């Protein structure tokens, strides 16, 4: 059988390829969504060496559940939801691992290697994000690192718009309070305060 042509596929067409078992259908699926989902995972998890494993798990779960997708036109938002759910699981597992290390006094364990070159400010931002509970961190990351609209976040998280707004409000307060301890983030915070004083729209406005 001839290989599938290299072109832009619609969500519905990709779903049809996967459900009918067309050769190379999985490759089309991955090539189409991997850049977007990889960026989403990185926005949520930061420069973690396990990010590639999380990305792999997301696509495995999506392929296993493709027949449960009720609207083929919403494949993109559906796999984004799986990405959020899988990333949340990883964050919660990591939090449990951190407590296990504390309980076993394993404080000298080497830190995992960083696979991405990031600025000092972004590094500091992920340190602050690491102190948040999973739901708040995900909402904050999707909104301010990934640039998703509130409705998109609600759909990806499988929750209500009011819940997203509440999580974002708590996350913003948490982030602002702790970011002041990092010199690399102080200029950014000062710019936000200047915007507030001049009446300019905040980057994290909920409107």
């Amino acid at each position: 059988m001839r290989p599938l042509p290299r072109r832009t596929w619609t969500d519905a067409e990709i779903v049809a390829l996967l459900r009918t078992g067309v050769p190379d259908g999985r490759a089309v699926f991955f090539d189409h969504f991997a850049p977007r989902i990889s960026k989403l995972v990185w926005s949520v998890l930061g420069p973690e060496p396990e990010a590639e494993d999380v990305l792999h798990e997301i696509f495995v779960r999506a392929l296993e559940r493709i027949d449960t997708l009720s609207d083929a036109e919403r494949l993109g938002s559906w796999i984004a939801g799986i990405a959020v759910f899988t990333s949340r699981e990883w964050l919660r597992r990591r939090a449990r691992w951190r407590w296990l290390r504390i309980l076993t006094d394993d404080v000298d364990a080497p830190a995992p290697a960083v696979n991405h070159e990031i600025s000092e400010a972004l590094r500091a931002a992920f340190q602050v994000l690491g102190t948040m509970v999973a739901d708040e961190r995900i909402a904050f990351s999707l909104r301010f690192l990934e640039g998703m609209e509130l409705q998109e976040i609600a759909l990806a998280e499988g929750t209500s718009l009011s819940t997203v707004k509440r999580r974002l409000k708590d996350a913003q307060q948490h982030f602002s309070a702790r970011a002041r301890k990092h010199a690399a983030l102080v200029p950014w915070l000062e710019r936000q305060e200047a915007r507030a004083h001049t009446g300019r729209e905040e980057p994290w406005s909920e409107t």
Side-chain angles (χ1 to χ4, degrees), residues 119-207:
S119 69
E120 186 61 29
L122 191 55
R123 190 185 307 276
F126 277 118
Q127 289 178 4
V128 175
L129 290 173
T131 66
M132 294 183 182
V133 297
D135 286 339
E136 291 177 9
R137 173 174 178 164
I138 289 171
F140 188 97
S141 299
L142 294 181
R143 178 61 168 160
F144 306 124
L145 298 182
E146 190 65 15
M148 293 175 66
E149 298 296 330
L150 299 184
Q151 290 285 6
E152 291 180 290
I153 298 172
L155 182 61
E157 292 192 327
T159 190
S160 66
L161 184 61
S162 61
T163 297
V164 169
K165 289 182 177 181
R166 174 175 53 77
R167 289 175 179 173
L168 280 174
K169 181 179 179 180
D170 292 342
Q172 291 162 16
Q173 293 174 346
H174 182 122
F175 187 89
S176 294
R178 286 160 178 77
R180 296 185 184 282
K181 300 177 182 179
H182 297 268
L185 294 176
V186 170
W188 180 83
L189 290 172
E190 291 176 345
R191 287 196 296 271
Q192 311 319 309
E193 292 172 353
R195 286 173 178 267
H197 289 149
T198 58
R200 294 173 62 189
E201 182 182 357
E202 287 287 321
W204 56 25
S205 170
E206 294 182 3
T207 57

Side-chain angles (χ1 to χ4, degrees), residues 12-33:
E13 288 174 332
I14 294 174
V15 171
L17 293 176
L18 295 175
R19 288 178 172 172
T20 56
V22 173
D24 297 332
R26 293 188 176 193
V28 169
F29 179 44
F30 184 82
D31 291 345
H32 186 83
F33 286 106

Side-chain angles (χ1 to χ4, degrees), residues 41-114:
V41 170
W42 194 88
S43 294
V44 173
L45 302 186
E48 296 289 348
E50 292 89 348
E52 288 296 324
D53 294 334
V54 174
L55 181 66
H56 175 76
E57 178 65 20
I58 290 165
F59 279 92
V60 168
R61 291 183 177 188
L63 289 170
E64 291 174 346
R65 304 172 187 175
I66 192 65
D67 288 334
T68 68
L69 176 61
S70 58
D71 184 355
E73 298 289 348
R74 305 194 70 173
L75 178 61
S77 58
W78 179 76
I79 191 173
I82 293 176
V84 168
F85 181 84
T86 306
S87 298
R88 181 187 291 116
E89 281 187 336
W90 186 89
L91 287 173
R92 289 174 174 170
R93 284 200 303 269
R94 188 179 64 175
R96 290 196 293 270
W97 294 336
R98 184 183 299 118
W99 280 107
L100 285 173
R101 286 198 297 270
I102 292 173
L103 291 173
T104 58
D105 293 325
D106 189 15
V107 295
D108 296 324
V114 175

